[in-house]
Amino acid sequence: MTDSSSRKIVDSANIYQDFETRFYEWEDGMSSAGFKLELPDNNREGFDWGVTGYNFGRVIGGVLTVSEHDINRQYGNLFSMPDHIVIFIVIIGGMDVQCFGRRFQMVQGDILIQDMSQPIQIRVFPGDLNPHLCTYQYIIMPKHSLHFNVDIASLHGKHLPASSPVNIVLRNHFATMVQVFDQMTEQEVLSTGEGAAAVFLQTLHLVAGKKVEHPFEQSAHLERICLHIEKHIASPVSVDALCKTFALSRSGLYRLFEPLGGIAQFVRSRRLLLAKRLLRSSSMSDQSLAAIARQCGLELSALRRYFNDVYGATPKEMRMKFRLAEKLEGQSDATHVNWVSSL
C-alpha cells in the first residue's frame, strides 16, 4: 500500500487550538500556489478548514473543505510559485472569479484553470446546507510539462462548465485517482501520476487549441512579455528587441518589471529556476553542465557564478544534492510547499 507519510497529507483546523495557528497553517498551504488568503471580518473566529492532499509524483492534488474566504494572487506575490498550473474543481458551494477584467461565477462541477504566474482574485463561498462550507478539489502540475507548445496565458482564468465533455473527462479521472489512492502501491501511485499528467496536459492542449477570443486583450503587458521570455529563454534577451516587439519605451519596460526586481533580475531568476529543474531531472543526468547552461541561455561560468550567489552551491553540488534527495525520498516532511517545489 501507499506510504501515506510521504504521499498523503490529512490536516484540519480542529487540531489547532487557537485562531492564529489555524489561520497560519491554512495560509502556509495556500502559499504553495502563490495565493494570499483573506477572511471576512465576520468569519474570523469561526474559520474552519480541512484538507487531504495526494502526491502522485508528476501531479499533486487533493480535496479542500473550507469556510468562506478570498484567495488572491497579485503582483506582490504572483512570482512566488510561477512555474505551475493549478486547476480548481468545485464540489460544494461556488467561486466568484475576477481575472483580466472579467468576472464570472463557478458552481458545482465547474473547473477553473490558472497559470500561477498571473494574477487572479477568487471569493470562495459555501453551499446552502449546514455546515456552511465550500468543498473543491485542486490539481497542480509543472508548467514546463507543456513545453510551451500551448499558449499558457490564454488558459489563465479559463472556465470549463460542468456540462463540458472535457470537464467531465478531467473531473472523473481525478475523482477516480483520489478514490483508489489508499489501495495502490507506491509504484502504482507514481504510474497513475504519469498517466494522469498525460491526460490532464492533453486536456489543456485541447482547451488552449480552441479559438480563444482576444486572449491578450485585457492581459497586462507584463504577462505577455514574461511569456515571450519563457519561450525564448535559451536565447539572448535584448531590452531593445523587447521594446520593439511590445511597442514600449525602455523606461516603460523598466517600470513594468520594477516590482519583480528589474528585468535583468527576472530573466536571471527564470534561467536559474530552469537550470535547477534540469539538474533535478533524471532525463538530463547524462547532459554536461555546459549543455544545461546553454539550454538556459547562459555561459557555464555565469551559471556557476549565479548558483554560488543565489544558492550558495555550485551546479555540480546542486546536482549531487538532488540525487541524494531522490535516494532519501519519503524521509522528508510531507508538505504542499515541499511537494510543489519538487515537481
Side-chain angles (χ1 to χ4, degrees):
M1 296 298 100
T2 308
D3 178 6
S4 60
S5 65
S6 64
R7 295 285 174 194
K8 184 176 180 179
I9 294 172
V10 179
D11 201 2
S12 64
N14 60 21
I15 68 174
Y16 306 104
Q17 294 183 349
D18 58 279
F19 166 78
E20 287 75 15
T21 306
R22 294 199 305 272
F23 180 82
Y24 171 78
E25 291 294 332
W26 175 261
E27 187 177 46
D28 188 54
M30 295 303 292
S31 71
S32 65
F35 286 119
K36 179 181 179 182
L37 174 63
E38 299 174 5
L39 296 180
D41 291 337
N42 62 355
N43 195 35
R44 298 184 68 82
E45 292 304 322
F47 182 59
D48 191 14
W49 58 269
V51 58
T52 303
Y54 305 89
N55 186 345
F56 290 91
R58 285 283 305 281
V59 174
I60 292 169
V63 184
L64 297 167
T65 299
V66 62
S67 303
E68 180 179 357
H69 66 286
D70 294 328
I71 45 180
N72 300 320
R73 191 188 300 113
Q74 300 173 331
Y75 285 113
N77 63 327
L78 63 84
F79 281 99
S80 57
M81 282 287 183
D83 298 312
H84 303 86
I85 292 171
V86 61
I87 298 172
F88 285 165
I89 306 170
V90 178
I91 306 299
I92 300 174
M95 296 182 178
D96 185 89
V97 182
Q98 294 188 62
C99 181
F100 293 154
R102 295 185 301 117
R103 182 171 181 171
F104 56 90
Q105 283 203 347
M106 295 175 52
V107 295
Q108 182 176 345
D110 288 0
I111 287 177
L112 176 67
I113 302 171
Q114 302 169 63
D115 176 352
M116 290 165 111
S117 70
Q118 302 197 54
I120 197 166
Q121 297 181 40
I122 304 170
R123 182 174 68 85
V124 178
F125 55 87
D128 296 329
L129 301 177
N130 285 321
H132 293 296
L133 299 173
C134 174
T135 300
Y136 59 97
Q137 295 171 328
Y138 62 93
I139 301 169
I140 302 175
M141 296 180 295
K143 193 192 301 182
H144 63 83
S145 298
L146 295 174
H147 302 297
F148 300 105
N149 294 326
V150 169
D151 182 1
I152 300 171
S154 72
L155 290 173
H156 183 59
K158 189 72 175 178
H159 170 213
L160 302 180
S163 59
S164 162
V166 173
N167 173 312
I168 295 170
V169 169
L170 192 155
R171 180 159 42 98
N172 288 344
H173 193 103
F174 182 67
T176 301
M177 292 169 59
V178 170
Q179 182 180 6
V180 301
F181 181 88
D182 290 334
Q183 283 73 53
M184 290 192 289
T185 65
E186 177 83 0
Q187 187 55 52
E188 287 172 339
V189 166
L190 295 176
S191 296
T192 298
E194 288 286 339
V199 171
F200 297 156
L201 291 172
Q202 286 301 319
T203 300
L204 295 180
H205 276 260
L206 178 62
V207 173
K210 294 180 180 179
K211 183 179 179 181
V212 180
E213 295 183 3
H214 314 298
F216 292 119
E217 184 175 73
Q218 295 169 324
S219 176
H221 266 129
L222 180 61
E223 284 76 47
R224 296 175 61 194
I225 298 171
C226 289
L227 181 61
H228 178 85
I229 291 172
E230 295 280 5
K231 288 182 176 179
H232 302 89
I233 198 69
S235 305
V237 175
S238 165
V239 169
D240 290 336
L242 289 175
C243 289
K244 182 177 179 180
T245 300
F246 295 97
L248 286 170
S249 65
R250 292 176 71 93
S251 59
L253 183 68
Y254 292 148
R255 280 196 302 272
L256 278 176
F257 280 87
E258 186 176 356
L260 306 181
I263 187 166
Q265 172 63 30
F266 172 76
V267 173
R268 186 181 78 164
S269 68
R270 304 309 300 151
R271 285 174 167 163
L272 285 181
L273 283 171
L274 175 59
K276 278 187 67 177
R277 192 161 63 231
L278 295 178
L279 289 171
R280 181 186 289 123
S281 173
S282 58
S283 64
M284 298 293 293
S285 60
D286 61 339
Q287 295 290 309
S288 68
L289 294 176
I292 288 178
R294 285 194 297 273
Q295 291 192 48
C296 301
L298 294 169
E299 296 291 335
L300 179 57
S301 58
L303 182 67
R304 286 171 173 157
R305 183 171 68 254
Y306 292 156
F307 260 69
N308 269 319
D309 291 345
V310 176
Y311 304 124
T314 66
K316 182 178 180 180
E317 291 169 341
M318 188 71 74
R319 175 179 263 177
M320 293 176 64
K321 177 183 176 181
F322 288 144
R323 289 175 178 173
L324 178 61
E326 284 184 6
K327 295 179 181 179
L328 299 177
E329 185 179 16
Q331 299 181 21
S332 59
D333 291 338
T335 68
H336 279 87
V337 175
N338 287 344
W339 283 357
V340 173
S341 64
S342 65
L343 273 178

